Every structure is written in structure tokens, then in C-alpha cells.
Amino acid sequence: MPDSPHRRRLRASALLAVLALPALGAGCAGPSRPATLTVLATSSMTEVLGEIGEAYHQQNPDVRLRFAFGGTPEIADRLAEHEPADVLVTADGASMDEADEYLGGRRRVIARDALTIAVGPGNPRRIRDLRDLARPGLRVVVGAGTVPVGRYTRQVLAKAGVTVRWSSEEIGARAVLDRVRAGEADAGIVFVTDLNSAGIAASSVPIPADQNVTASFPAAVVRDSGHEDAANAFVAWLVTPDAQRLFGKYGFVTPAAPQ
């Protein structure tokens, strides 16, 4: 029977269908979908984690990072309400212990810091050291005793043997800094890196090393993470040289503690 144009079209269509089968099979399996990791983190790491998120995505295009920053109470509420989250970063080990029921895997200390006294630009009240914070009439703000910066602050004041009657307690170091920057307080105790983020809006009165403390910032994977492998890989990357250089850029003490 002569080979008609119609028959040739049918054979061509059949051949294309056969050739397409492997591709269709591969398409059913599909490439792995990009993962978006939600990181609950202390506000004191707002700037550095923003840059770290960009750097990590460049090295790992299939992973995007979404950060939710806040004080310890805010982060704890998010976990308690089972909001979707993959990684937790806090400003001390005690906060990690409090969130332990929501965490899985290994904790890693990703950076360290110290405390300083934040004052108004140019230090208008002429504060020289921790003892000056006890001066009558001075408006001093500190972190609450239930949050990392508040716990560290009380350790520092105890080491210095100074009793301070503060005017308010805040939910985190950034909240303390905000009160100073707004002129609502004469002084506050914050992390060194928080003070660095203020630029010319605040000045620093250093705390001597023998009176200071070392603040540790740990990270861990949230137990109910929907991207456990990707979350573990990100936490592990935070102690690599690439990440540590970025922490150092923002004033955190590096390298992190031996893992």
C-alpha cells in the first residue's frame, strides 16, 4: 500500500511519543522542590543573618531563608503555638534549654559576643563605667531577667559589685538600645554588636574584660521542621569559615566554640 502523508504523520507522532517517554517518566519523579527554611532568631542577629541568608542562597540555590526576628518571649510564643519553623537561633544556652521540647538534633554555638554600655551620642551624661550606672537620677534600662541580655547583664553587675536601680526592663537587647536611641533612657546594657548596629545614633562605654561576660549564640533545628536535612545543613554551614567571616564582619567573636 502506498505510503500516504497521513500514515507518515501517524508514524512521526508515534516516534515522538516513544522518544518522549523517558522524559515524561523523569518529569513524574520531578526535580526536588526548592526548600524555604524559616529561621526564628534573636533580634541581635538581624543584620548579620540577613547577609548570611544571601550568601547561603548563592552557594545553595535550592534553599531560601526566611528570617523572623524577635526577643526571646516572641520566639518562644511562636514555637509554643507551633508556627512553621525550621531553625532556632538564640542569644544564650538557657533559652535553648527552655525550648528543648521543640528542638531536635545537635546544637551548635555559631558566634560569641560581649556586653557594653549604650549611651546617647557623645555620652551627654558622662558615664565612665558600670559604677556610674548607680548614680541617682540616671535613667538606666536593662533586659528583663528572663531574657538572655538581662541574664548576662545581671552577671556583669554582680561581677562588678554594682547595684543598679533601673527604670525599666525590656524584652531584648534591641529594645534596650531603642530606648537609649529615642532619648527615653540615659544608658542601657546591650551586646557590643547591637551597639555597632546603631551607628552614630548611640555611643559606647566599654566594660572591662574582667567585669564582662562572654555571650554564646547557639543554633538548632526545630524538631517538626518540614525540611530537616536542609535545616541541619544550614546550621552546620554556620560554623564554616565562610559564615564565620561574616559574623566577624559584624563584630561577633569568631571562630565559634569547637564543635
Side-chain angles (χ1 to χ4, degrees):
M1 180 181 295
D3 194 7
S4 68
H6 178 66
R7 287 177 178 275
R8 285 197 297 270
R9 284 196 298 270
L10 288 176
R11 283 202 304 270
S13 297
L15 178 59
L16 288 174
V18 171
L19 291 175
L21 285 176
L24 289 173
C28 291
S32 57
R33 295 181 61 185
T36 298
L37 301 181
T38 298
V39 181
L40 302 181
T42 171
S43 296
S44 294
M45 284 198 162
T46 300
E47 292 78 19
V48 66
L49 286 183
E51 186 165 347
I52 277 177
E54 294 176 4
Y56 190 74
H57 178 62
Q58 288 179 358
Q59 294 186 26
N60 303 270
D62 290 338
V63 179
R64 293 186 179 276
L65 297 165
R66 184 177 73 86
F67 297 98
F69 298 100
T72 297
E74 296 170 313
I75 293 173
D77 287 345
R78 287 173 178 265
L79 288 174
E81 293 169 7
H82 300 286
E83 291 188 21
D86 302 287
V87 175
L88 175 67
V89 180
T90 67
D92 70 353
S95 298
M96 279 287 179
D97 291 340
E98 292 168 0
D100 188 64
E101 64 180 294
Y102 306 110
L103 305 176
R106 181 180 182 184
R107 299 182 190 179
R108 294 176 183 267
V109 173
I110 59 176
R112 297 185 183 279
D113 206 344
L115 298 185
T116 191
I117 302 171
V119 295
N123 192 8
R125 299 301 300 270
R126 299 293 181 265
I127 296 168
R128 298 163 298 175
D129 54 33
L130 289 168
R131 291 172 297 180
D132 284 344
L133 299 184
R135 285 187 345 216
L138 200 68
R139 297 172 302 167
V140 179
V141 293
V142 298
T146 55
V147 302
V149 71
R151 287 190 279 259
Y152 290 129
T153 294
R154 286 156 178 75
Q155 293 174 30
V156 164
L157 293 175
K159 288 176 72 173
V162 175
T163 300
V164 176
R165 291 189 176 182
W166 42 76
S167 57
S168 71
E169 297 178 292
E170 306 298 330
I171 64 169
R174 288 297 169 96
V176 171
L177 182 62
D178 287 345
R179 295 292 297 274
V180 175
R181 293 178 61 180
E184 297 170 353
D186 300 311
I189 298 179
V190 300
F191 295 116
V192 170
T193 51
D194 287 305
L195 198 286
N196 292 345
S197 75
I200 62 173
S203 295
S204 172
V205 177
I207 298 173
D210 62 340
Q211 296 176 354
N212 218 322
V213 295
T214 299
S216 297
F217 289 73
V221 174
V222 176
R223 179 171 293 138
D224 293 332
S225 166
H227 309 283
E228 186 175 354
D229 290 342
N232 274 302
F234 172 64
V235 171
W237 184 84
L238 291 173
V239 296
T240 64
D242 285 347
Q244 291 293 296
R245 277 192 291 271
L246 292 176
F247 281 120
K249 173 183 174 180
Y250 284 85
F252 289 91
V253 178
T254 60
Q259 302 299 308

